Amino acid sequence: MNDHLYRWRNKEIRKQVAVIDGKESPTLILKNAYYLNVFLRKWLEAHIWIYHDRIVYVGSKLPTSLTGMEVVDCTGKYVVPGYIEPHAHPFQLYNPYELAMYAGQTGTTTLMNDNLPWLYLTNREKAFTLLEDFMKLPVSMYWWARFDSQSEINEEQEIFKDEEVQAWLQHEAVVQGGELTAWPQVMRDDDRILYWMQEAKRLRKPVEGHFPGASEHTLVKLKLLGVSSDHEALSGEEVYNRLSMGYRVGLRNSSVRPDLAKLLKELQDLGIHSYDFLTMTTDGSTPAFYENGIINQCIQIAIDSGVPEIEAYMMGTYNAAEQFHLEERLGGIAPGRVAHLNILSEVNNATPESVIAKGKWLKRDGQLVEQNIEIDWDKYGLGELSLDWQLTEKDLQFSMPVGLKMVNDVIMKPYPITIDANTEEITNSKDESFLMLIDREGQWRVNTIIKGFTKTLGGLASSYSLTGDIVLIGKSKSDLLLAFSRMKEIGGGIVLVHQGKVVFELPLQIAGMMYNGKMPKLIEEDKRLKEILIDHGYQYEDPPYNLLFLSSMHLPFVRITPLGIIDVKKKDILFPAIMR
């Protein structure tokens, strides 16, 4: 592995030291920078010397000669560390490469990423080689090691066997265990996951939880079991309780839960004035939510909410680095840190006018700097989706007595089906539609009815789902067949059909899960998808999340999974999947 990309080799360190002795020249100097010193919590004026991808000096001195190096006068500017997204799901229609490069443009130069799609979509050897490709990006890409599938799948024991989880935990690019969605099993009797949690802690890697609405009793037990942090607090009081127990807390501002301003106000009302154990996260939002950036927007909300400016920047930089024990590498402007720097025009405007990542300009004076780096997805078996089977009318049999009723984008309740689903179209209901989850390999299917998705849409087919299997939703069986056929033809993606016509298609050329194109274009497509679904009666905020979480067992109350329709709390299979 190219481990020098996570720690410098002796030869490189000697050259960095030689810069201080005047035997080597810096590659870039930011002169007269008014910078945030996170250790003193002060704005100080200094010259910042950078040698390739590392900061080597911050102080009052300049080299005796400034020839042969780039010198930028930062008089009147403010320089802060590159922002850190501590909880990224880099596969919400976009792909990790495009998300990283797009995030960097507005100052988020480090992302801590979910590894779940690599567990489903490729093998460990290819995944680790892919991680090495990500190491070469100017944006720093770190990863989690998942302990559970977040759903109920047939291959659970094979994917999450000890050998695989241990290999991920020990990888140098992996900085935490989790997020832990299978915490009820751990609390009950799952010593296998508990062992992995302890291994993560032994490796000095924190364990992140996923505990929405958890009681004090539950939170105390999970702290004893080894959990370090959580990002699921829904109120200031819940944040307060987690902080009082020693949890690090990620304040969420996502497309499903844009809670940050509310949480900060409630914390201020509770008398919280110390922000050391707080970070901020967008929690894998869908593309349109990122139109104006990522962590820069969170910092801006914090500043606008009355958080002292230095504390707002600390939450988006040093606090996150410290959470992952990376504070000597990231999150600060000081000798030895990675050269991730944001240059601001005003101290209270968190969106930088210039961005430096690993010593390279990503944006300069408002203009993007082309990077000429690509990821060869085909090399890892992550090309277009190729299905060697066809959906037939025989598959479209819906006789299940229990369906899924939407409460919002992500919460589903069971409900008794009263309509006659033995028909070509569902016309006698305003908001009920056929729902099918079908195996990517064509081996099994689960058929039921979903209530509350849309009132009129004929058919939707999506290869974008939590488990990578195919989701079909719609009121017309013929439209469903056409949507599936078109989705298959374009190599995976999301297709909408109404009255026999394709009205929207979004190709997801990377394994049927991720878009292989620029973020601005994807943002426009995401908006258009939502507009069309809303026109057909979708009444919530984020339909891509709805498609993703239909199978997600960490959300109440009932889910459609590869094993069948399952009661989340009891883990009972209400109706099993049917073999085709």
Side-chain angles (χ1 to χ4, degrees), residues 268-449:
Q268 290 161 351
D269 291 344
L270 289 166
I272 292 290
H273 302 294
S274 174
Y275 300 86
D276 290 3
F277 283 79
L278 295 172
T279 60
M280 298 178 286
T281 178
T282 59
D283 196 10
S285 295
T286 45
F289 192 76
Y290 289 145
E291 188 167 19
N292 296 311
I294 301 184
I295 296 301
N296 62 307
Q297 292 296 298
C298 293
I299 295 172
Q300 194 64 54
I301 290 169
I303 292 171
D304 294 345
S305 298
V307 174
E309 289 153 353
I310 288 176
E311 297 300 329
Y313 287 111
M314 293 279 289
M315 289 165 69
T317 58
Y318 185 80
N319 293 5
E322 192 175 50
Q323 176 173 322
F324 298 102
H325 307 301
L326 292 170
E327 66 273 17
E328 291 198 11
R329 183 177 182 88
L330 301 167
I333 300 174
R337 274 60 181 184
V338 176
H340 289 323
L341 301 136
N342 292 330
I343 302 174
L344 313 177
S345 58
E346 299 175 13
V347 70
N348 60 358
N349 181 357
T351 300
E353 64 177 33
S354 299
V355 179
I356 298 168
K358 292 183 184 173
K360 298 179 180 179
W361 294 99
L362 292 187
K363 183 169 72 172
R364 187 162 186 181
D365 298 328
Q367 299 300 310
L368 302 183
V369 179
E370 201 61 41
Q371 296 302 311
N372 299 320
I373 302 172
E374 295 293 340
I375 300 292
D376 182 359
W377 299 105
D378 288 329
K379 173 181 168 184
Y380 302 104
L382 298 171
E384 291 186 355
L385 183 64
S386 178
L387 304 180
D388 61 2
W389 53 275
Q390 185 58 52
L391 191 70
T392 68
E393 290 185 12
K394 184 180 177 182
D395 293 311
L396 301 178
Q397 298 177 17
F398 297 84
S399 56
M400 201 76 74
V402 173
L404 278 62
K405 180 180 179 179
M406 292 177 61
V407 176
N408 57 32
D409 286 300
V410 298
I411 294 177
M412 308 282 163
K413 288 185 175 180
Y415 87 104
I417 297 171
T418 58
I419 65 167
D420 179 13
N422 214 4
T423 179
E424 162 62 24
E425 290 189 34
I426 299 177
T427 56
N428 60 340
S429 162
K430 290 184 179 179
D431 64 349
E432 287 167 292
S433 303
F434 300 116
L435 169 63
M436 175 188 291
L437 182 70
I438 190 162
D439 178 30
R440 175 181 285 232
E441 305 299 326
Q443 299 299 310
W444 51 260
R445 60 178 172 83
V446 184
N447 294 27
T448 186
I449 301 294

Side-chain angles (χ1 to χ4, degrees), residues 167-182:
W168 276 93
L169 274 177
Q170 291 166 22
H171 195 288
E172 196 166 11
V174 170
V175 294
Q176 76 166 15
E179 60 180 315
L180 183 65
T181 52

Side-chain angles (χ1 to χ4, degrees), residues 505-519:
E505 58 183 50
L506 175 63
L508 300 175
Q509 306 97 325
I510 304 172
M513 289 286 289
M514 294 170 274
Y515 182 69
N516 193 11
K518 299 297 182 185
M519 278 288 286

Side-chain angles (χ1 to χ4, degrees), residues 7-167:
R7 54 177 193 268
W8 291 275
R9 291 174 174 170
N10 287 359
K11 183 179 178 181
E12 294 170 313
I13 294 171
R14 293 294 181 191
K15 285 188 175 182
Q16 293 159 1
V17 171
V19 173
I20 307 305
D21 293 332
K23 297 174 182 177
E24 293 277 344
S25 297
T27 52
L28 173 63
I29 288 182
L30 303 182
K31 190 172 67 169
N32 304 321
Y34 200 52
Y35 81 101
L36 174 59
N37 186 302
V38 297
F39 312 104
L40 298 175
R41 279 186 162 83
K42 287 185 176 182
W43 296 97
L44 301 176
E45 188 171 352
H47 308 304
I48 302 169
W49 301 13
I50 297 167
Y51 184 74
H52 296 299
D53 62 348
R54 197 179 195 192
I55 299 169
V56 296
Y57 174 80
V58 182
S60 60
K61 297 178 182 179
L62 284 170
T64 53
S65 172
L66 295 179
T67 59
M69 67 191 73
E70 184 178 8
V71 181
V72 177
D73 191 347
C74 292
T75 300
K77 309 294 184 185
Y78 297 84
V79 184
V80 295
Y83 307 145
I84 300 172
E85 167 55 90
H87 187 93
H89 298 276
F91 51 89
Q92 311 292 42
L93 300 179
Y94 39 73
N95 68 72
Y97 165 73
E98 291 294 344
L99 177 66
M101 301 309 291
Y102 180 79
Q105 295 169 12
T106 48
T108 302
T109 55
T110 301
L111 294 95
M112 311 305 190
N113 299 292
D114 189 356
N115 74 323
L116 189 60
W118 309 141
L119 305 181
Y120 289 143
L121 299 176
T122 189
N123 60 46
R124 189 202 334 152
E125 181 181 358
K126 288 181 179 178
F128 283 3
T129 307
L130 182 56
L131 264 55
E132 289 188 31
D133 275 357
F134 286 124
M135 291 180 200
K136 299 169 187 175
L137 302 182
V139 174
S140 292
M141 297 287 275
Y142 293 88
W143 301 86
W144 322 339
R146 282 272 192 174
F147 299 151
D148 63 274
S149 68
Q150 205 171 313
S151 184
E152 294 290 326
I153 59 174
N154 295 301
E155 305 85 4
E156 180 95 16
Q157 295 301 316
E158 184 64 24
I159 293 174
F160 293 93
K161 61 185 179 183
D162 188 64
E163 176 187 352
E164 294 297 317
V165 175
Q166 292 279 12

Side-chain angles (χ1 to χ4, degrees), residues 209-229:
H210 183 104
F211 313 140
S215 66
E216 179 188 49
H217 183 73
T218 295
L219 290 168
V220 169
K221 290 169 73 173
L222 288 164
K223 203 77 182 76
L224 293 172
L225 289 164
V227 179
S228 315
S229 63

Side-chain angles (χ1 to χ4, degrees), residues 512-540:
M513 289 286 289
M514 294 170 274
Y515 182 69
N516 193 11
K518 299 297 182 185
M519 278 288 286
K521 172 66 173 172
L522 180 59
I523 286 170
E524 293 308 310
E525 291 298 296
D526 182 32
K527 290 180 182 177
R528 197 159 71 90
L529 170 63
K530 292 174 183 175
E531 287 170 2
I532 293 171
L533 288 174
I534 289 170
D535 285 345
H536 282 280
Y538 191 88
Q539 53 188 318
Y540 304 110

